[in-house]
């Protein structure tokens, strides 16, 4: 699936091209940020270009930039297309199959995890770009021309191969899997699932890109980092079956369905982001065969975003202390999630639970009125979240932290409501009282004044 920690070029780093700047790497980054602010930020993109960016269909000539500061934030500008395609998926699924492609509780859970994964970006700049720019400024061996089509295509291959390597390690190294498993925890497979991301994954994925910083300009890298992520959005669907000859080269919905399956034949297969050629080369490719059952081999059975993010780490912690021997303790962290003393690095294939095809997704009964309530309040939180990055420079630090804390509280409360937890009602009452108090004090005022009365209601 797509990675968390998307590139945020407008908050990027130092200039991506030209001569090296004097001073330390940190000073150069800060100087570049100041230059970006003075320049008025990155260039815009036309809606047609933004749509094609989702499919990696922009030519080098229209997506090459001299500096990081000029690179558009393709991810942020794609949000309207995310919403449009999700609505289209639901409509087409209903027309063709007379059923929806997902459930309300799982959809809210996926979007909650997506929002949660982006909240650190409100406070901190992208570690992927900052680390890349630091290596580029201090250690680059030579500089490929930023405006050459050959550099563009080489970066496409480099970013995708780096993603393959990281993604494979994310499944084969237990501590990395603890972060990545969040994306696989949904038992549905739809466009909502594409937005289901880990908070922690971005803090390990960045190092796989650093070799490119020795010769590929950061501005070119920043473009392809986003394109690789955006491409992986539309392949999270069951509506598209096969794409003919493209199946040999590209990662497609069919290939990625296998990756999300918990069938024994699907485990640890099809790691590619944009291209499937890496899986074919390194022996991790598997074609779609038997009907895929989605989710984890041992389902988490929760919609609580905090628990989904942290429970795997708690499991590793407990297993670490319960496992005898120093070397075995290290193996708990760095070998596969199926490993145990006396087992191969990735565990025993025969221990993978058998899939019967009759598995029932975790779906607690929730009254229809409660689903409607959760949807309305979730929409308020989404609006509050969307406003936050744009207004963070105009808000006090206390207000920013209060908004982030309230968003986390709200997403947790919605998750517990969807699980019909006995104490969810109490938490929700507390949440609403906090909202009303903070709203009256002016901390949650919307940029859209007509929403004020609706929020209080």
């Amino acid at each position: 699936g797509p990675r968390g920690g998307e590139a945020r070029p407008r908050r990027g780093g130092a200039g991506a091209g030209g001569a090296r700047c004097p001073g330390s790497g940190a000073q150069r980054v800060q100087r570049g940020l100041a230059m970006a602010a003075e320049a008025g930020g990155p260039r815009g993109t036309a809606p047609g270009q933004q749509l094609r960016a989702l499919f990696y269909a922009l030519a080098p000539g229209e997506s090459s930039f001299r500096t990081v500061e000029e690179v558009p934030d393709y991810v942020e500008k794609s949000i309207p297309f995310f919403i449009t395609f999700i609505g289209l998926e639901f409509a087409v699924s209903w027309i063709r199959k007379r059923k929806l492609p997902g459930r309300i509780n799982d959809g809210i859970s996926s979007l909650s995890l997506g929002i949660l994964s982006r909240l650190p970006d409100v406070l901190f700049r992208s570690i992927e770009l900052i680390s890349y720019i630091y290596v580029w400024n201090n250690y680059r061996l030579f500089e490929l021309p930023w405006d050459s089509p050959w550099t563009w295509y080489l970066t496409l291959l480099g970013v995708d191969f780096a993603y393959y390597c990281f993604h494979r390690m994310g499944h084969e190294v237990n501590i990395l899997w603890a972060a990545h498993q969040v994306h696989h925890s949904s038992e549905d497979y739809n466009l909502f699932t594409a937005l289901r991301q880990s908070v922690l994954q971005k803090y390990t994925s960045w190092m796989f890109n650093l070799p490119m910083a020795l010769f590929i300009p950061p501005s070119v890298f920043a473009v392809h980092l986003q394109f690789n992520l955006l491409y992986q959005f539309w392949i999270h669907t069951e509506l598209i079956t096969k794409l003919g000859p493209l199946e040999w080269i590209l990662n497609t919905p069919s290939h990625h369905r296998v990756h999300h399956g918990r069938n024994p034949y699907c485990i640890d297969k099809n790691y590619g982001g944009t291209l499937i050629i890496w899986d074919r080369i390194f022996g991790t490719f598997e074609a779609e065969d038997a009907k895929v059952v989605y989710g984890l081999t041992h389902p988490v059975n929760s919609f609580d975003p905090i628990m989904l993010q942290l429970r795997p780490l708690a499991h590793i912690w407990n297993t670490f202390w319960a496992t005898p021997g120093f070397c075995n303790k290290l193996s708990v962290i760095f070998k596969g999630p199926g490993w145990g003393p006396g087992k191969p690095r990735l565990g025993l294939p025969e221990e993978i639970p058998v899939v019967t095809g009759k598995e029932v997704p975790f779906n607690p009964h929730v009254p229809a009125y409660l689903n409607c309530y959760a949807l309305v309040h979730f929409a308020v939180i989404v609006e509050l979240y969307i406003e936050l990055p744009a207004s963070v420079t105009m808000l006090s630090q206390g207000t920013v932290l209060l908004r982030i804390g309230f968003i986390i509280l709200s997403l947790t409360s919605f998750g517990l409501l969807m699980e019909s937890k006995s104490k969810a009602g109490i938490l929700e009452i507390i949440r609403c009282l906090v909202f009303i108090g903070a709203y009256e004090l002016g901390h949650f005022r919307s940029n859209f004044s007509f929403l004020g009365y609706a929020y209080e209601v």
Side-chain angles (χ1 to χ4, degrees), residues 33-84:
L33 292 168
M35 290 167 58
E38 293 171 4
R43 294 186 340 218
T45 54
Q49 288 182 313
Q50 190 59 51
L51 177 61
R52 286 187 287 124
L54 276 173
F55 301 93
Y56 225 127
L58 287 179
E62 54 187 339
S63 55
S64 295
F65 306 90
R66 181 183 299 275
T67 65
V68 170
E69 293 77 35
E70 296 178 66
V71 177
D73 192 335
Y74 291 103
V75 174
E76 182 178 317
K77 294 176 182 294
S78 293
I79 291 177
F81 290 104
F82 292 162
I83 297 171
T84 300

Side-chain angles (χ1 to χ4, degrees), residues 90 100-110 185-190 192 196 303 360-364 371:
F90 271 72
L100 298 178
R103 297 161 290 148
I104 291 176
N105 47 24
D106 189 79
I108 289 179
S109 177
S110 291
S185 59
S186 174
E187 294 177 277
D188 292 340
Y189 187 76
N190 51 42
F192 279 126
R196 191 181 190 95
F303 299 121
V360 178
F362 177 64
N363 194 27
N371 277 327

Side-chain angles (χ1 to χ4, degrees), residues 109-126:
S109 177
S110 291
L111 289 176
S112 296
L113 289 163
I115 291 173
L116 199 63
S117 72
R118 299 277 299 198
L119 287 179
D121 294 341
V122 175
L123 299 174
F124 311 106
R125 298 184 178 96
S126 166

